[in-house]
Amino acid sequence: MGTVVVDVMPKQEILDPQGQAVVGALRRLNLSQFTDVRQGKRFTLEVAGDVTDEVLAAAREAAETLLSNPVIEDVVSVRDADAAAAGQEDAS
Amino acid sequence: MGTVVVDVMPKQEILDPQGQAVVGALRRLNLSQFTDVRQGKRFTLEVAGDVTDEVLAAAREAAETLLSNPVIEDVVSVRDADAAAAGQEDAS
Amino acid sequence: MKVGVVTFPGSLDDHDAARAIELAGGEAVHLWHGTADLQGVDAVVLPGGFSYGDYLRAGAIARFAPVMDALIPAAKGGLPVLGICNGFQVLCESHLLPGALVRNDHQKFICRDQKLRIERINTAWTGDFAQDEEITIVLKNGEGGYMADERTLDLLEAEGRVVARYLGGNPNGSRREIAGISNEAGNVVGLMPHPEHCVEPGFGPGLEGLPFFTSVLRQVVSA
Amino acid sequence: MSNLPAYKCDTVDIASQDPQAEQPWAELGLKSDEYQQIREILDRRPTSAELAMYSVMWSEHCSYKSSKVHLRQFGDKTTDEMKEKLLVGIGENAGVVDIGDGWAVTFKIESHNHPSYIEPHQGAATGIGGIVRDIMSMGARPLAVMDPLRFGALDHPDTARVLPGIVSGVGTYGNSLGLPNIGGEINFDSCYQGNPLVNALCVGSMRTEDIHLANATGVGNLIVLFGSKTGGDGIGGVSVLASETFDSTGPAKRPAVQVGDPFAEKVLIECCLDLYAADVVAGIQDLGGAGLSCATSELASNGDGGMQIHLDRVPLRDPSLSPEEILMSESQERMMAVVEPGKLEAFMEIAAKWDVEASVLGEVTDGENLEVFWGDDLLVQVPPRSVAHDGPVYQRPLERPAYLDDLQADGTAHLNRPRTGDDLARTVLDLIASPNMCDASWVTDQYDRYVRGNTAQAMPDDAGVVRVDEETGRGVALSTDCNPRFTKLDPYAGSQLALAEAYRNVAVAGAAPLAVSDCLNFGSPEDPGVMWQFSEAVTALADGCAVLGIPVTGGNVSFYNQTGDIAIHPTPVVAVLGVLDDVAKRNRSGWAHAQDAIYLLGETRDELDGSAWAEVAHSHLGGLPPTVDLAAEQTLASAILAATDQGLITSAHDLSDGGLAAGLAESVLRHGVGASVDLSPVASRDGVDAFVALLSESTARAIASISASDAEAFEAVLSDKGQAFARIGTTGGDHLKVEGQFTLAIEDLRSAHTGVIESAMSH
Ligand SMILES: Nc1ncnc2c1ncn2[C@@H]1O[C@H](COP(=O)(O)OP(=O)(O)O)[C@@H](O)[C@H]1O
Ligand SMILES: [Mg+2]
């Protein structure tokens, strides 16, 4: 059984009210070293077999069409959860 | 400027309606190789300087106290976005 | 008889809760989230709404407000506290009540008139109900699914701490149809539906929310 | 200023020295003569900031350049008598009416159509956010919202994308603000497939002495921007909203969608109310389309002097924004106030209490110009009126569309009508199961209708009713309506029918109609046929309001709702506001008790062209809409109001789409109380058969239920008012029985009526 991880983040130029609320709360917890927070989504997709290239391609398709809204979000990574994570921040 | 990434996922035994909805939608998109999907959160926390051990410790504190609710969620990873990602799925 | 109503940024039903307290015969005192001072009130309502936008998780940020620094120890010491909807979420995030409230299973906000059964009447907030009384009050939430592990659920049932249960269909995927619970002592109650919208003739689906507020007034008087 | 990012700003100096520089006016949507006009106003070429400002403010969306010549009629046809209750009329952010006892109410309806098609959730959410800020900018506490929505066919796949997103956007934003949603519309027609309509209404109240206006007066008064930080969102949004080229990207490659932050807006509402209560605001303006460009030029234009603004003092979310982008940004949840210097400290304290960021951008000057600086560089120096109010005005060509004669000639007379009672029963079931008539609770259950505890009634009643004064119970009723099938067949009659329906809904609820707002959704103004429809609609509404004696207090125009050459049906959504001295007296729809007498008020003619029946049974649209009879509407209103006042009515329901059949079915389904009805008094008096009696959409009609013991008194009131009526039956039982025709079990009615939208959305 394999797992694909898909990371989706709000576009840099888009307002992220969730992240802003967290920054404020961290300040009240005296964790004010964090100057900016952005909140995105992390999906894990299970497949019965191994995470093959086809599976990754399918996951990439899912990421672009369903898991993210390209108007306001970027897919920042689609990867095999178990693989060494080189290039993990790369969705291409 | 450095960035810490915090990943939070719903606990395995907790129903994840969002993930379930995604499974259903994937099936309709003929992407039915994905048998289970879970949706969690991914945070990026910016700091002015480098991501030192102290920064990571602070981020871990934020992750445990604020960014996750231990009743329903697990912190699956707290890491420097730029570091090699060995052990990335490890919050300890 | 003074009952405090806390206003967090993003609280919405604070006005309604205060009105309900007054209609029940009490005096409503507005408490501000930013001040760790309960102003000597005899009980507190944490009202519904979207404190801090419910960003992150419902109730998660409000839990760290200064007023909670005063409220948490007071509640542990026996002060009657009712958390309605968002207030219930704050109580769970504060660990004054076990479990958590998650996104409705159907993933939509839902507003409807909901039938409930009141299963625990020896709490500060339900004394004016009859055991197993069935009432209809407003339900409205986006993250109202009550979740806890099986052990906790069993414990709640065994100790009779399920205060209210949904009837006529589970509106949000709550475990075991749980609509409200209490702490062991019964002074802290969390309730997902909104009794404060059911206290005035002509507004809301009826008057069956009023006993929550009369109960606490009577309890405080007799205490 | 050395700490500013080093932009090579195009300044007024440079513009004067380099008059021939090429400028991208065409890309910004300006016409060549408009660009020339700007050069003449300034007596030089505009700077790039000025060009951006004019291009957006002179867009159709902001300048009303195609509609202005027509909208004038709203003012011109308002008589002094109609103005009596009008405290603020057209021209401000929203109109204000006097509802008595020192209370003023402000309401307005606006569109957010194009953004909601691109990003349904955020588009609809920011639509609610924008209209709520308009209401706040009048000094009012927002009380409630409504959302008239129009979608393509229910079973079209794109509807399943657009509808849930729009509904969740309206719901999330409004619910998070703590504003009850008290009504709206959900209408499906394939003409909206590529152009869904998201209209949003907000109503607010204040004491009459607390009305605030958007003007910057008093030399030395400070201009304060407060609310969320400014980011790059929505730059070019106004171009998307308004320009001819639907997908134009505007001055920079920034996203055209705005993302809403309802929490920030909720805090902003409470902050504004505290500011008003402390009397520290001299003038106030919301920021919406065209952002700072619009707010500064409108404030200055409405004031008596000039204004200086420093863009480098705007708190930014994205530090890479250029000054031009800051000027144009449509970041949400921001307001602009004019504050006397002596009151600034108090202002800032209140803002800090709510954690709302506020910064002084500049001040009111004794000059004549709006001047915008970036550090020491002067980027904008313009007469504010030329930007905000004296934009181009077009007298666009009009032409009655050629297709109209054929369309109107193609009536329903040749269509098969149900002949037997069984046929009629099936027709009724089909009708109440059709997308436009089915139960809407899948949508409306996503909206909080109870918050603040002042909602006396909401969906599915005919009008939303909210209490304004908690002591006395004084309150308002609102309804929004438009049947676009009627406006397609005859835009003049159809627009008056929309007005009549909203008026009737409010009156049937027991409120005295007082004022009107409208949202005019049309195709391209460059199409003479569309422009003709528009002109007919405005004329019809202005004429109709004059007859009914209720003024138009404001509204909104949305053009370019078309895909290729195909425009939407003309959709002038009309909102009517009425007053009740005590909302406890309002009439609910639907039967709550057995043994009440059922009355049909008004007369029924054979009017089925454009009806719901023609659509559902035959997919037919043609002929002429029902007769408009505004005098009859007034009679009906006065009869119902008189009976309401005497407490005689147990329920009342307006008849419109689907006629009496729909009215009866809905009344039965409301509380599950059946009825037994005999149509013969109507048939013999009006010369119609059972089918026409049940399915005609003749106007100025309503049904009411009355306790049997009050029947005599009720009939006396009706006779006194000259209202035609017929006693047609009695409530009670588990069936809807129409004597001699059919008997339908309530369960069967219910199962036909419910789950329709839900099942379409779950595919
Ligand atoms: N269809 C309409 N009917 C009546 N008044 C309208 C209509 N469209 C626009 N108006 C009025 O014209 C004025 C100018 O609108 P504008 O200031 O552009 O509004 P907004 O605040 O929506 O930007 C407003 O008072 C508005 O109410
Ligand atoms: Mg405005």
Side-chain angles (χ1 to χ4, degrees):
Chain A
M1 226 192 61
T3 303
V4 181
V5 177
V6 175
D7 289 324
V8 172
M9 294 298 290
K11 275 190 197 302
Q12 206 41 255
E13 59 274 21
I14 286 280
L15 175 70
D16 172 22
Q18 279 95 335
Q20 288 314 300
V22 173
V23 174
L26 287 174
R27 216 177 296 130
R28 276 185 299 274
L29 289 173
N30 288 324
L31 291 167
S32 44
Q33 58 269 67
F34 300 108
T35 52
D36 192 23
V37 175
R38 297 183 75 75
Q39 177 178 335
K41 295 176 189 147
R42 181 177 192 272
F43 299 89
T44 55
L45 286 65
E46 307 291 330
V47 281
D50 285 343
V51 177
T52 60
D53 283 352
E54 288 77 54
V55 166
L56 278 175
R60 223 165 269 138
E61 188 190 334
E64 304 288 348
T65 54
L66 179 72
L67 304 179
S68 73
N69 174 351
V71 180
I72 51 176
E73 293 170 323
D74 291 322
V75 177
V76 295
S77 133
V78 176
R79 65 202 146 88
D80 184 347
D82 297 327
Q88 53 158 305
E89 297 293 314
D90 182 1
S92 66
Chain B
M1 228 191 60
T3 304
V4 181
V5 177
V6 175
D7 290 324
V8 172
M9 294 299 289
K11 274 192 196 306
Q12 210 41 255
E13 61 273 22
I14 291 281
L15 177 73
D16 172 22
Q18 281 151 308
Q20 287 315 301
V22 172
V23 174
L26 286 174
R27 214 174 298 128
R28 264 167 277 152
L29 289 173
N30 289 323
L31 291 167
S32 42
Q33 58 268 69
F34 301 108
T35 52
D36 191 23
V37 175
R38 299 185 72 77
Q39 178 177 336
K41 294 174 187 150
R42 181 180 193 269
F43 300 90
T44 57
L45 285 64
E46 306 291 329
V47 282
D50 284 344
V51 177
T52 59
D53 283 352
E54 288 78 54
V55 167
L56 279 175
R60 225 164 269 135
E61 188 189 334
E64 304 289 347
T65 53
L66 179 72
L67 302 180
S68 72
N69 176 348
V71 177
I72 47 172
E73 294 169 322
D74 292 321
V75 178
V76 294
S77 132
V78 177
R79 64 200 147 89
D80 183 346
D82 296 326
Q88 53 158 308
E89 297 293 313
D90 180 5
S92 64
Chain C
M1 199 53 42
K2 293 204 255 175
V3 181
V5 178
V6 178
T7 300
F8 297 102
S11 289
L12 304 179
D13 300 312
D14 43 347
H15 183 75
D16 302 61
R19 184 199 289 115
I21 290 159
E22 310 257 328
L23 287 171
E27 180 192 343
V29 176
H30 289 280
L31 303 177
W32 184 240
H33 71 104
T35 315
D37 178 2
L38 300 181
Q39 297 184 34
V41 295
D42 304 295
V44 169
V45 176
L46 295 178
F50 297 85
S51 56
Y52 298 93
D54 271 3
Y55 298 145
L56 190 57
R57 292 180 312 280
I61 298 180
R63 173 225 162 156
F64 294 106
V67 73
M68 295 305 292
D69 295 342
L71 185 66
I72 291 171
K76 287 180 176 160
L79 182 77
V81 178
L82 174 65
I84 303 170
C85 193
N86 196 231
F88 186 8
Q89 294 158 339
V90 174
L91 291 175
C92 287
E93 285 282 342
S94 309
H95 308 304
L96 286 169
L97 292 175
L101 293 141
V102 301
R103 186 83 103 78
N104 295 347
D105 56 356
H106 48 77
Q107 307 232 67
K108 296 189 301 290
F109 185 93
I110 183 169
C111 174
R112 74 178 194 201
D113 302 344
Q114 176 70 43
K115 206 165 185 194
L116 305 176
R117 184 170 53 231
I118 303 297
E119 297 191 3
R120 180 179 185 187
I121 59 170
N122 63 339
T123 79
W125 301 90
T126 52
D128 282 358
F129 288 103
Q131 181 66 36
D132 294 335
E133 186 171 338
E134 293 183 4
I135 62 171
T136 296
I137 60 177
V138 171
L139 174 91
K140 48 170 209 180
N141 63 66
E143 299 185 29
Y146 182 72
M147 287 295 144
D149 56 36
E150 289 298 315
R151 213 179 46 87
T152 308
L153 293 169
D154 288 343
L155 188 76
L156 286 172
E157 307 263 14
E159 295 179 350
R161 286 163 57 190
V162 174
V163 173
R165 229 184 278 265
Y166 298 116
L167 298 179
N170 191 332
N172 48 26
S174 286
R175 288 282 159 89
R176 305 191 190 179
E177 279 82 41
I178 289 175
I181 58 170
S182 67
N183 66 353
E184 272 177 73
N187 62 308
V188 178
V189 170
L191 188 69
M192 197 31 64
H194 290 258
E196 78 283 17
H197 292 326
C198 311
V199 294
E200 204 184 358
F203 301 89
L207 303 179
E208 295 179 324
L210 201 55
F212 285 95
F213 303 97
T214 54
S215 296
V216 76
L217 295 178
R218 198 178 322 280
Q219 133 110 19
V220 168
V221 171
S222 58
Chain D
M1 287 194 147
S2 54
N3 58 347
L4 291 178
Y7 288 108
K8 208 184 130 298
C9 292
D10 186 23
T11 63
V12 171
D13 267 356
I14 295 173
S16 313
Q17 287 157 21
D18 178 17
Q20 295 317 322
E22 284 282 313
Q23 295 198 282
W25 49 268
E27 289 88 323
L28 290 174
L30 285 166
K31 300 274 187 282
S32 130
D33 54 333
E34 291 173 343
Y35 179 63
Q36 284 313 317
Q37 202 182 330
I38 296 168
R39 296 189 65 124
E40 277 158 34
I41 290 167
L42 300 178
D43 205 14
R44 59 173 164 79
R45 76 162 171 87
T47 65
S48 57
E50 289 166 343
L51 185 66
M53 201 160 168
Y54 277 105
S55 72
V56 178
M57 291 300 291
W58 285 13
S59 71
E60 188 64 60
H61 176 68
C62 294
S63 74
Y64 292 84
K65 58 189 168 191
S66 304
S67 54
K68 239 180 204 167
V69 293
H70 301 283
L71 295 178
R72 247 171 230 149
Q73 298 178 69
F74 289 144
D76 295 348
K77 291 180 181 169
T78 302
T79 62
D80 288 343
E81 202 186 333
M82 287 156 74
K83 282 183 192 145
E84 238 165 65
K85 296 274 166 63
L86 193 59
L87 300 172
V88 175
I90 292 182
E92 282 288 337
N93 284 312
V96 184
V97 287
D98 184 344
I99 63 156
D101 285 354
W103 286 103
V105 162
T106 175
F107 73 120
K108 186 176 174 189
I109 180 166
E110 243 181 27
S111 65
H112 225 222
N113 303 336
H114 297 158
S116 303
Y117 181 63
I118 298 170
E119 214 309 287
H121 179 94
Q122 295 295 346
T126 52
I128 297 286
I131 191 65
V132 169
R133 285 193 300 281
D134 263 324
I135 292 310
M136 276 157 64
S137 73
M138 301 308 298
R141 171 179 274 285
L143 293 176
V145 295
M146 298 173 86
D147 61 328
L149 307 176
R150 286 177 170 76
F151 303 102
L154 177 59
D155 55 6
H156 190 287
D158 201 44
T159 304
R161 169 188 73 96
V162 170
L163 186 150
I166 285 174
V167 170
S168 73
V170 168
T172 303
Y173 207 102
N175 294 345
S176 303
L177 294 186
L179 294 178
N181 186 313
I182 58 165
E185 294 169 272
I186 301 150
N187 190 215
F188 299 94
D189 191 298
S190 54
C191 76
Y192 302 113
Q193 203 64 63
N195 297 92
L197 301 185
V198 175
N199 292 177
L201 177 148
C202 183
V203 56
S205 70
M206 71 210 105
R207 302 295 297 169
T208 50
E209 64 273 17
D210 293 334
I211 296 172
H212 280 72
L213 296 179
N215 54 36
T217 53
V219 174
N221 280 352
L222 302 171
I223 307 299
V224 182
L225 176 68
F226 63 115
S228 295
K229 285 187 162 66
T230 299
D233 38 344
I235 293 173
V238 165
S239 328
V240 171
L241 286 169
S243 81
E244 302 71 318
T245 51
F246 186 69
D247 53 6
S248 116
T249 41
K253 291 278 172 258
R254 303 278 190 186
V257 292
Q258 309 99 317
V259 172
D261 179 353
F263 169 63
E265 180 127 323
K266 167 64 182 169
V267 171
L268 199 54
I269 292 174
E270 299 303 329
C271 177
C272 279
L273 291 169
D274 275 3
L275 292 169
Y276 299 150
D279 192 25
V280 295
V281 172
I284 182 113
Q285 167 76 36
D286 59 298
L287 274 81
L292 281 169
S293 293
C294 177
T296 54
S297 61
E298 284 194 356
L299 275 173
S301 178
N302 292 337
D304 49 12
M307 187 190 284
Q308 277 190 358
I309 293 292
H310 295 267
L311 286 180
D312 42 286
R313 298 183 192 162
V314 174
L316 297 182
R317 201 171 79 226
D318 174 357
S320 76
L321 292 182
S322 72
E324 288 88 352
E325 289 174 323
I326 296 170
L327 198 55
M328 309 312 294
S329 162
E330 295 188 352
S331 283
Q332 301 289 295
E333 293 92 23
R334 299 180 299 164
M335 300 284 283
M336 180 168 273
V338 182
V339 182
E340 291 168 23
K343 294 182 172 175
L344 183 67
E345 199 182 322
F347 185 104
M348 290 301 188
E349 262 172 36
I350 292 169
K353 173 188 167 196
W354 288 100
D355 239 332
V356 167
E357 191 165 4
S359 16
V360 177
L361 299 192
E363 60 184 43
V364 179
T365 65
D366 59 5
E368 286 174 356
N369 287 325
L370 167 62
E371 297 178 322
V372 178
F373 291 87
W374 177 255
D376 296 327
D377 290 339
L378 179 60
L379 304 189
V380 171
Q381 187 174 41
V382 297
R385 273 204 79 79
S386 73
V387 179
H389 291 110
D390 298 337
V393 174
Y394 292 157
Q395 185 86 54
R396 300 233 188 233
L398 318 172
E399 194 183 331
R400 185 175 184 275
Y403 66 73
L404 214 51
D405 286 335
D406 285 345
L407 187 67
Q408 293 183 344
D410 174 31
T412 53
H414 65 283
L415 300 178
N416 280 333
R417 296 179 169 195
R419 294 185 194 289
T420 65
D422 283 350
D423 284 354
L424 259 180
R426 209 162 311 116
T427 302
V428 171
L429 290 175
D430 287 348
L431 200 68
I432 63 171
S434 67
N436 285 328
M437 308 214 62
C438 68
D439 172 38
S441 56
W442 186 88
V443 172
T444 55
D445 280 359
Q446 296 187 49
Y447 303 151
D448 181 350
R449 58 185 176 276
Y450 290 118
V451 60
R452 289 197 80 76
N454 290 316
T455 307
Q457 69 182 33
M459 308 74 83
D461 287 315
D462 290 336
V465 177
V466 278
R467 177 170 60 179
V468 171
D469 186 329
E470 293 197 19
E471 307 278 294
T472 62
R474 181 169 292 273
V476 294
L478 277 150
S479 176
T480 68
D481 291 286
C482 177
N483 183 333
R485 289 164 54 81
F486 293 163
T487 42
K488 174 76 173 185
L489 296 179
D490 180 346
Y492 187 95
S495 300
Q496 291 200 337
L497 289 169
L499 172 66
E501 186 179 344
Y503 177 93
R504 193 185 323 129
N505 277 325
V506 161
V508 163
L514 190 66
V516 174
S517 177
D518 60 33
C519 189
L520 307 174
N521 306 274
F522 285 77
S524 168
E526 293 159 49
D527 176 336
V530 169
M531 216 46 223
W532 176 82
Q533 292 172 327
F534 182 81
S535 129
E536 291 287 293
V538 174
T539 307
L541 291 179
D543 292 349
C545 286
V547 172
L548 295 173
I550 51 178
V552 174
T553 65
N556 172 251
V557 176
S558 171
F559 278 133
Y560 297 106
N561 295 289
Q562 66 179 56
T563 308
D565 288 342
I566 311 295
I568 60 164
H569 292 345
T571 314
V573 174
V574 180
V576 170
L577 176 131
V579 188
L580 296 104
D581 55 10
D582 183 356
V583 296
K585 294 187 191 164
R586 90 275 184 217
N587 300 317
R588 295 188 177 218
S589 71
W591 299 321
H593 323 278
Q595 299 307 321
D596 281 358
I598 303 170
Y599 283 86
L600 171 65
L601 312 187
E603 287 168 19
T604 306
R605 291 171 289 267
D606 187 335
E607 294 181 305
L608 286 130
D609 294 359
S611 66
W613 167 76
E615 182 185 25
V616 173
H618 297 283
S619 305
H620 181 271
L621 176 59
L624 287 169
T627 322
V628 178
D629 187 347
L630 297 176
E633 301 288 357
Q634 285 179 296
T635 303
L636 178 69
S638 77
I640 291 194
L641 291 178
T644 304
D645 216 44
Q646 295 180 31
L648 299 174
I649 297 180
T650 60
S651 84
H653 192 16
D654 126 274
L655 297 188
S656 53
D657 307 24
L660 178 61
L664 293 172
E666 287 164 2
S667 299
V668 163
L669 288 172
R670 187 79 169 90
H671 303 287
V673 174
S676 180
V677 169
D678 179 3
L679 297 172
S680 50
V682 182
S684 58
R685 182 194 62 196
D686 296 344
V688 295
D689 61 14
F691 163 75
V692 172
L694 284 169
L695 290 141
S696 164
E697 298 187 4
S698 293
T699 61
R701 295 185 307 157
I703 49 177
S705 64
I706 310 293
S707 295
S709 57
D710 287 331
E712 206 174 310
F714 183 62
E715 292 186 12
V717 171
L718 298 180
S719 302
D720 179 50
K721 297 286 179 184
Q723 174 63 48
F725 67 89
R727 185 166 173 168
I728 59 168
T730 309
T731 63
D734 300 329
H735 294 83
L736 173 59
K737 179 174 184 199
V738 178
E739 213 59 61
Q741 299 296 333
F742 59 81
T743 299
L744 281 167
I746 295 179
E747 287 143 58
D748 295 337
L749 287 165
R750 195 175 301 288
S751 72
H753 191 53
T754 51
V756 178
I757 295 179
E758 182 174 9
S759 77
M761 290 305 113
S762 58
H763 286 315

